[in-house]
Amino acid sequence: MMFAETTGQGTSALENHQKQNFEERVARLGAQNSGQNSSKRGKPSGLRKASNRLVSIFAFLIGLSAVVLARYVRYRLEVDTLTGESADAMMLMDIGIGVAVGLLVKIVFRVKSLNYYSAMIAGVLLSVVLMHNLVHKSSDVFRTYFSPQWTEMIIENTKPNSVLFRGISYTMSDMMSGQNAEASKTDGETPDVKVNELPQVR
């Protein structure tokens, strides 16, 4: 009887010891896995931020270039109006073509970043309203790849360092004079404001 009780107690103690060892091993493995997972999560977050920045820069440049490509295509098709009566339609066409090109590039390169859309659209819009300034500053390049006639027409009918919107180029001084004109109207005066209405560019 005593031997049986001693044997039972020894077996129970052994089982408890094995159970305790098992639980300790499980706890250690859980701690190791938790540390590895946290380190894995920490590394990609930094890489992800850098990757998102690069994607945003890439998308912005794509947007800028897409509008230049759109206007080159329109020039080749002799639908190259930047100013005049059809300036609104051409501006919308440039935006549409630019966004379409940007989306095509995203599909081809399988870009998954959500920042791509906002950066690409920002590039398209800035290029639409500012590209003519590049023509003023790099006229020789545009004379080579577009034509001397097209380049001269853009230079003659747009202002350098300005924003082109709906066929009219606005400099900072134009915007300031417009504010002054509004102030004069509120005071009951009739200011003499010259509007930079541009002819149609062909």
Side-chain angles (χ1 to χ4, degrees), residues 34-148:
S34 177
Q36 290 176 357
N37 291 335
S38 62
S39 62
K40 288 180 180 178
R41 285 193 297 268
K43 290 180 181 178
S45 65
L47 293 175
R48 196 178 300 113
K49 289 180 181 178
S51 176
N52 287 337
R53 291 192 188 97
L54 292 176
V55 168
S56 297
I57 294 172
F58 172 72
F60 183 76
L61 294 176
I62 289 296
L64 293 176
S65 304
V67 173
V68 178
L69 176 63
R71 288 181 174 172
Y72 180 78
V73 171
R74 290 203 293 107
Y75 160 71
R76 288 298 179 183
L77 296 176
E78 297 183 355
V79 189
D80 56 337
T81 301
L82 285 183
T83 60
E85 295 179 357
S86 59
D88 290 353
M90 294 299 103
M91 183 179 69
L92 293 176
M93 182 182 294
D94 289 338
I95 294 173
I97 294 175
V99 171
V101 171
L103 293 177
L104 179 62
V105 171
K106 183 181 185 299
I107 293 172
V108 170
F109 289 94
R110 299 181 180 179
V111 181
K112 297 181 180 179
S113 174
L114 295 177
N115 296 334
Y116 181 90
Y117 294 103
S118 57
M120 180 265 292
I121 292 174
V124 168
L125 295 178
L126 281 178
S127 188
V128 166
V129 299
L130 296 177
M131 177 187 161
H132 65 285
N133 294 304
L134 192 60
V135 179
H136 282 273
K137 293 181 179 180
S138 303
S139 57
D140 292 339
V141 175
F142 285 91
R143 286 190 180 95
T144 301
Y145 291 99
F146 282 73
S147 72

